[in-house]
């Protein structure tokens, strides 16, 4: 088989890239380890920046997003038992975010790809290998239904997430990595219950962080901070609801409607960046190159901005016969990536309980939050970063 761009991974990065390239007349094939159903069953992000919704508009896959997505003008910060609103729209001169699940984004992109008759190879398992990307004729090999297959291409886009094969294929020594692992995770629950409030509540409490989020007017997503060694199966629904309730303010507690969980899982928290993001004709995008803790809701949005830069670079290569975009790809992405890394680390540090800092750390967080909600300058910094920095 031959294609112009072989894309590894059918998560949001890979599907979005495939769609943008297709729209520009660039041929591409996606190779995915799992089945489509498996990819769709992963419950992840919920908050989309304008940059991401614009890109989905550009792809022509935003009809459902505009019908069903919830536009949010602000968020609420809960600390010392009281809630304070950050009015993002006012502080940023009109910017907002849209609450629309990653599952739905992936669904919409998969449907569009199917409708266009574009090739996606699912269930490739762990057989995918990358070859010759330091030369001019890269190849991707995989095994499907017991048959060895090879795709010859011009470029390989590594969109296969943190545990993927793309970054792992780069020769040792060509890559520098930066990492911070937090001593806790998020236990998340999805339930068909109405949201506690019409906006997201981020809570700092002496028992640890909590987040009340949503997917629609009838489906909610909640998280509580738990130690890293905790297991989701050891948490009954009742234990989860009790812990969440204990971390809310009296009014939110009153509004909390509980019900059976549709999904329950623990996500570890990590900050990670691999530099550079390009090796010859292999270009990494999204979680394959960087991870942020979910507190700032930046992971999917960073994946989208990488893909924007990557699709522009590839379009420039084919249309204008210019390598400038490809040559500057890594540098352009990393400037935005590091700003989102900084914001996500800061917001995580401000909102979570760190076992080693004790009561002193708790008081410092409360003082900073008090300053934050009382200072227009400080609130604006939070709002600007939360709605997303410009491309
Ligand atoms: P993905 O989604 O991990 O997709 C990678 C795909 O590659 C496949 N793959 C392979 N395919 C072929 N061969 C191999 N060897 C392969 N290895 C892996 C995988 O099966 C998969 O299908 O990466 P991508 O596309 O870069 O997208 C990144 C986002 O998924 C991620 O950043 C966000 O989910 C992060 N995130 C959030 N981001 C936001 O912008 N806003 C949020 O509100 C938000 N909340 C979250 C989050 C992530 C969370 N978890 C579970 C980590 C909340 C949580 C709890
Ligand atoms: C979510 O709804 O899953 C969500 C929302 C905001 C975050 C992280 C996750 O910061």
């Amino acid at each position: 088989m031959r294609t112009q761009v072989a894309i590894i991974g059918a998560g949001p990065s890979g599907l979005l890239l495939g769609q943008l390239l297709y729209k520009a007349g660039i041929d591409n094939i996606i190779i995915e380890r799992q089945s489509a159903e498996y990819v769709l069953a992963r419950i992840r992000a919920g908050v989309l920046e304008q940059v991401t919704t614009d890109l989905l508009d550009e792809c022509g896959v935003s009809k459902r997003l505009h019908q069903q997505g919830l536009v949010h003008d602000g968020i609420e910060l809960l600390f010392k038992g009281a809630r304070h609103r950050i009015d993002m729209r006012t502080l940023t001169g009109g910017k907002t975010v849209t609450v629309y699940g990653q599952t739905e984004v992936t669904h919409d992109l998969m449907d569009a790809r199917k409708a266009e008759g574009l090739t996606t190879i699912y269930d490739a398992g762990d057989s995918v290998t990358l070859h010759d990307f330091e030369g001019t004729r890269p190849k991707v090999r995989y095994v499907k239904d017991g048959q060895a297959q090879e795709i010859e291409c011009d470029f390989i886009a590594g969109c296969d997430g943190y545990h993927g094969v793309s970054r792992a294929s780069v020769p040792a020594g060509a890559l520098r990595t930066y990492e911070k692992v937090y001593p806790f995770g998020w236990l998340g629950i999805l339930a068909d219950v109405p949201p506690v409030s019409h906006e997201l509540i981020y809570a700092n409490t002496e028992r640890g962080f909590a987040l009340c989020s949503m997917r629609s007017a009838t489906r909610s997503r909640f998280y509580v901070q738990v130690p890293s060694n905790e297991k989701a199966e050891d948490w009954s629904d009742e234990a989860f609801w009790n812990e969440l309730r204990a971390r809310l303010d009296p009014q939110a507690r009153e509004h909390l409607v509980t019900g059976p969980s549709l999904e329950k899982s623990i996500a570890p928290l990590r900050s990670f960046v691999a530099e550079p993001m390009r090796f010859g004709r292999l270009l990494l995008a999204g979680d394959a190159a960087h991870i942020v803790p979910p507190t700032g809701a930046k992971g999917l949005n960073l994946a989208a901005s990488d893909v924007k830069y990557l699709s522009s670079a590839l379009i420039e290569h084919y249309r204008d016969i210019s390598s400038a975009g490809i040559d500057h790809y890594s540098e352009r992405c990393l400037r935005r990536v590091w700003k989102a890394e900084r914001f996500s680390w800061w917001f995580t540090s401000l909102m979570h309980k760190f076992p080693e800092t004790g009561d002193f750390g708790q008081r410092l967080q409360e003082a900073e939050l008090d300053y934050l909600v009382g200072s227009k300058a400080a609130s604006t910094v939070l709002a600007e970063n939360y709605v997303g920095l410009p491309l």
Side-chain angles (χ1 to χ4, degrees):
M1 264 188 286
R2 150 124 205 108
T3 191
Q4 288 173 299
V5 182
I7 301 173
I8 318 297
S13 303
L15 290 165
L16 200 52
L17 179 65
Q19 197 64 18
L20 287 168
L21 294 181
Y22 165 73
K23 290 263 165 198
I26 300 170
D27 188 43
N28 63 84
I29 294 177
I30 299 183
I31 308 108
E32 163 63 46
R33 176 174 29 196
Q34 308 285 0
S35 66
E37 296 71 37
Y38 184 98
V39 172
L40 286 172
R42 290 188 299 227
I43 309 296
R44 289 188 167 180
V47 178
L48 309 183
E49 296 174 3
Q50 180 84 43
V51 163
T52 307
T53 51
D54 286 350
L55 216 51
L56 293 165
D57 284 338
E58 200 178 318
C59 286
V61 295
S62 56
K63 192 167 162 220
R64 248 172 21 105
L65 163 71
H66 292 299
Q67 283 168 351
Q68 297 173 20
L70 307 168
V71 175
H72 282 205
D73 293 351
I75 55 171
E76 294 194 281
L77 297 179
L78 193 169
F79 61 97
K80 287 174 87 175
R83 271 191 267 162
H84 307 261
R85 182 166 189 268
I86 302 289
D87 186 339
M88 297 181 308
R89 187 192 278 271
T90 305
L91 291 164
T92 60
K95 294 205 178 124
T96 56
V97 293
T98 304
V99 173
Y100 187 69
Q102 177 169 330
T103 313
E104 305 310 317
V105 173
T106 309
H107 215 293
D108 296 343
L109 285 162
M110 280 182 177
D111 285 353
R113 195 166 173 87
K114 210 168 169 187
E116 308 293 2
L118 307 177
T119 310
T120 311
I121 294 141
Y122 284 104
D123 294 309
D126 284 325
S127 68
V128 180
T129 54
L130 280 51
H131 306 268
D132 305 332
F133 49 82
E134 286 177 286
T136 52
R137 282 268 157 263
K139 288 165 201 74
V140 175
R141 298 195 184 117
Y142 63 96
V143 178
K144 174 83 182 168
D145 303 327
Q147 299 278 326
Q149 307 282 353
E150 182 177 278
I151 302 175
E152 233 189 60
C153 54
D154 300 332
F155 294 95
I156 302 175
C159 299
D160 47 351
Y162 181 68
H163 299 287
V165 64
S166 300
R167 193 181 70 251
S169 305
V170 174
L175 197 75
R176 179 143 188 217
T177 60
Y178 303 82
E179 186 169 36
K180 179 175 174 63
V181 178
Y182 301 85
F184 41 74
W186 281 14
L187 170 65
I189 209 170
L190 186 73
D192 274 334
V193 296
V196 167
S197 168
H198 67 286
E199 291 180 337
L200 270 61
I201 304 173
Y202 288 84
N204 168 300
T205 83
E206 300 213 3
R207 300 178 71 93
F209 172 77
L211 170 61
C212 301
S213 182
M214 64 194 75
R215 292 291 177 272
S216 70
T218 54
R219 180 167 287 188
S220 296
R221 180 80 167 149
F222 299 98
Y223 299 96
V224 293
Q225 173 187 355
V226 293
S228 325
N229 54 1
E230 211 92 342
K231 295 209 166 21
E233 53 272 26
D234 294 339
W235 281 80
S236 65
D237 287 359
E238 195 192 353
F240 180 91
W241 294 121
N242 287 340
E243 188 54 44
L244 177 67
R245 199 177 283 113
R247 298 185 189 190
L248 297 180
D249 60 294
Q251 199 198 2
R253 217 171 277 154
E254 214 174 279
H255 279 103
L256 178 68
V257 181
T258 63
S261 62
L262 305 169
E263 193 262 4
K264 197 190 289 156
S265 56
I266 295 187
L269 264 66
R270 180 193 304 275
S271 298
F272 173 86
V273 182
E275 294 186 350
M277 287 170 60
R278 174 202 165 200
F279 311 86
R281 285 173 173 257
L282 168 63
L283 300 111
L284 303 178
D287 280 16
H290 41 73
I291 296 285
V292 285
T295 324
K298 290 285 160 252
L300 172 59
N301 295 301
L302 270 188
S305 57
D306 287 354
V307 164
K308 172 71 192 164
Y309 292 137
L310 181 49
S311 60
S312 307
L314 290 168
I315 292 167
E316 227 175 283
H317 169 87
Y318 287 109
R319 203 175 275 172
D320 308 336
I321 326 288
S322 158
S323 67
I326 305 257
D327 291 342
H328 293 114
Y329 171 69
S330 182
E331 189 194 323
R332 279 176 90 188
C333 289
L334 286 167
R335 265 191 90 185
R336 194 166 196 274
V337 166
W338 274 110
K339 286 180 192 149
E341 289 284 345
R342 185 211 68 81
F343 172 66
S344 303
W345 159 81
W346 167 78
F347 202 28
T348 300
S349 308
L350 180 63
M351 299 307 294
H352 290 74
K353 187 178 174 71
F354 285 79
E356 68 279 12
T357 62
D359 292 346
F360 181 73
Q362 178 67 28
R363 287 290 177 272
L364 286 183
Q365 287 176 335
E366 289 167 0
E368 184 169 353
L369 282 160
D370 196 13
Y371 169 68
L372 183 65
V373 301
S375 155
K376 189 175 175 195
S379 299
T380 306
V381 172
L382 168 60
E384 274 182 0
N385 280 277
Y386 194 88
V387 300
L389 298 176
L391 272 180

